[in-house]
Every structure is written in structure tokens, then in C-alpha cells.
Amino acid sequence: MSLPTTHTRVTYPTGALRSTGTVVNSEPFGQHLAVVLDETACHPVDAVWPDQPADRGTIRFGDGERAVVVDIADCIVGATDGSALFIGDAVPVKKGSEGWAFLAVHLVDAAAVGSAAVPGATAQVDIDAPTRHALSAGHTGCHLASLALNAALTSAWRKEVAPDALGAPNFDGLACESSRIAPHASTDRYRIGKSLRKKGFDPAVFDDLDGLTARIDEILTGWVDSGADVRIDREGDFLTDRRSWHCALPGGPAVLPCGGTHARSLTEFSTIAVWLEREEVEGALVVSMVTTVVPAG
């Protein structure tokens, strides 16, 4: 069986919840069948930076009475050089590497799909809208919280470092070791070790978590009240094409590279608030920021 030579076309950056594509590869993967389509509306999780989980939904193979509909158990970024299909952590190269096709790999129940997912078959993807919208809200809230955190920590820097999208010292970019998006929420972990201190950061700012939380929440409240528009710009329709998150905040437009899904406007939210926690891990200060997004209405 020949493997795809072209990256998957993805429509989720436009907000699409349905797509129709063609099966270009299917093969066993553990207890599942790994199905690759030439086009999909399903957002896959990327093992390199698994911040936003995969969408949930169904795939309908074929038409009419013989159509088979199965749940999408997971959707993971994979890649092939034509010799084999590599999925998730097994992908041995960086996204966009020459000679490789990067793919959204849908995992479905092998027994349920039977022989319906053969190459050339038509496949309609339908994404669960409430789950998508909840994850999109969580992702938008995550970006805003990271920018608000940077702004609130400005006075903690004694040296100049690279700025963020709004011009504040980019603490998030320098210290974030993990970010996880959840429905209407996110959790970011920051490690403050010797290297960050050498760059001029004073960790004493985290001695007053209540005061810092209040400053972050005040910034977030002003941004939510602005009702700023949000959009995703993309250089193309393929999985590997660069995409960026834009938010027209009162202090100026914020632009961040991002491959996830997002709300269309801050009018969709009632509040965005954070909760901070600190701990010592192997001699370094680790701060966790949990962001919660409350939908409007």
C-alpha cells in the first residue's frame, strides 16, 4: 500500500466542524485502526507540544444504507517518508522536514469500521461542537493569561530580555515547561531556576501570590470587557503551514504563533481568572497557573 506524499489539509483553523475527505491510508495501530484522510476538520494532538487535546467526533465512511459511522477515539499528528507511518512520539523528525508528509491520523475502533476505511473511500468528519468550543475557550484564555502574567511580572526583571507580543518581558516564553488546555480551562507550569535568575528575574515576586493573582485578574478583566475580536491567520491549508493567533486588545494587537482552535471574540466570555500555586522541585521554584474561563450568558 502506498503512503501519502502530501500533508493533510486541515479546516479546523477556520472553525469548521464538518469536512469531507478521501481515505488515503489505513492500517492497524494497537487496538485501533489508524485512518489518514486527505482533508479533515479534526484538530489532532501534537506529541511535540501536546497543549490542546484532539477534537472528539465521528467519521462516516461511504454513503447510503451501507455507510459506516464510527467514533474518533483520538487524532494524533503523524508523519511518513514513504517507508512507514510514524505516529505521535514515534515521529523521528521535526514538522516540516523535507521529504516527509505530516498527517492528521484518526484512530477508530478497528472492529466497528470493518473494511469501510479502504483507500479511496469517502469519509465525512463531524466534530462535537460543545467540546470544540470549550477547548477553544480554554486555549484563548490560556494565551490571554500568559500575556497578563508577563505584564504583571514586568517589575521583577533587572535586565532586558526578549519581549512578548505586547512588549512586556516574556516570562512565559522563557519559563514555561508545559501547557495543557482543558474545556474552559488551562494549566501552565513555570520553572524558575538558576538560568532565569541569571537573566535578571527576581523570584521574590512569587512570595505574594494573592497580590500577583489580583494584578493578573485585573488585566484580564479589562481585556474581557473590551470584547476584542480574535482570529486565526494561516499561510496555507496544510497541517504544516504556519498559523497565528490575533487578538485586538486595547493596548495593541497581540499576535502569537499557534496551531490550535480559538474563540472568535472575547464577548463570548463572562470572566477569565487565574489561580497560582508554588512548590519546590529539585531545588527550583515551580509555579503553576490554572486559568478558568466562564462563558458569557
Side-chain angles (χ1 to χ4, degrees), residues 132-151:
R132 161 73 69 78
H133 293 154
L135 289 172
S136 296
H139 206 152
T140 299
C142 179
H143 283 342
L144 291 171
S146 69
L147 291 170
L149 174 64
N150 288 344

